[in-house]
Amino acid sequence: MEITKKNKVVEFLKNYWMYVAVGVVVLVVAITVGVLAGGQAVPTSSPSLEFSLPMQEASIVKDYSSTELQENTSLNQWEAHLSVDFASDNADVFAVLDGTVSKVSYDVLNGYMIEITHSNGFVSQYCSLAEEPVVNEGDKVSSGQKIGTAGNSANAEIDLGNHLHFTLMLDNQVVDPNNYLDLQNK
Ligand SMILES: [Zn+2]
């Protein structure tokens, strides 16, 4: 019985090895294509853009949350937080991409604020800065260039202490910075 079975298998392979080989190749190609397609499913529309971090060695004081409400003790209310708050021993704040300063402003809730317009539809905003920013509207800035200092000028988040309230927009829509900046372990 054993021998007969083996012979049958050998005979089958002799006659049909081409089909078996082609089947294996097709399977390998299908798996490779599947893996590559899966690897590309990252939610970035502009993978060529290299973002740098707005603060160095910063920790996240308050993360982005669009659906889950977070308590804001400064305003005594629960709210979505469409930004990421950073704090660091080094309070320097840096531009996350090359761009042009499109707004420099102050208001009681957001404090001193800088807005930079980048290419590809991105706009970044830096709120709660320590003092009047040294950059002016119309200034060209480079990715990683120091633009200000994190502080506690935003009354809307005064309970958080010195920090940067960072917002990222794409095509006039606020987006989650975690999808574009490498904030792992921050
Ligand atoms: Zn904030």
Side-chain angles (χ1 to χ4, degrees):
M1 278 297 276
E2 278 278 301
I3 293 162
T4 319
K5 259 188 190 170
K6 266 186 188 164
N7 282 344
K8 272 188 177 171
V9 170
V10 169
E11 203 151 300
F12 174 83
L13 284 175
K14 265 186 189 165
N15 293 330
Y16 298 105
W17 67 271
M18 268 290 283
Y19 299 100
V20 172
V22 167
V24 167
V25 168
V26 166
L27 193 66
V28 167
V29 168
I31 288 171
T32 307
V33 167
V35 166
L36 286 178
Q40 284 168 354
V42 176
T44 41
S45 58
S46 307
S48 59
L49 288 176
E50 282 262 344
F51 285 84
S52 52
L53 293 176
M55 291 185 86
Q56 294 303 317
E57 294 176 14
S59 52
I60 291 177
V61 182
K62 197 173 195 182
D63 208 348
Y64 177 96
S65 63
S66 57
T67 50
E68 204 172 304
L69 299 184
Q70 299 192 57
E71 186 175 18
N72 182 330
T73 55
S74 307
L75 297 177
N76 195 25
Q77 65 186 22
W78 289 78
E79 60 189 18
H81 188 246
L82 303 179
S83 308
V84 177
D85 292 335
F86 297 95
S88 173
D89 290 339
N90 179 354
D92 291 348
V93 172
F94 308 96
V96 294
L97 284 174
D98 292 350
T100 304
V101 176
S102 43
K103 194 174 172 188
V104 176
S105 65
Y106 171 83
D107 68 82
V108 173
L109 284 179
N110 297 304
Y112 291 108
M113 191 274 276
I114 296 173
E115 179 188 273
I116 303 175
T117 299
H118 313 283
S119 58
N120 297 58
F122 283 103
V123 170
S124 57
Q125 288 180 342
Y126 312 76
C127 293
S128 190
L129 299 174
E131 56 207 9
E132 195 159 353
V134 289
V135 291
N136 297 301
E137 287 181 19
D139 285 357
K140 296 247 184 284
V141 294
S142 310
S143 181
Q145 180 181 331
K146 184 184 171 182
I147 54 170
T149 308
N152 200 14
S153 61
N155 275 16
E157 293 187 335
I158 202 155
D159 286 357
L160 296 180
N162 287 339
H163 74 287
L164 167 70
H165 175 90
F166 175 77
T167 310
L168 187 64
M169 289 181 284
L170 174 60
D171 298 332
N172 300 315
Q173 303 271 349
V174 174
V175 292
D176 185 349
N178 290 282
N179 292 338
Y180 300 92
L181 278 68
D182 182 17
L183 302 181
Q184 298 299 315
N185 306 317
K186 292 288 179 293

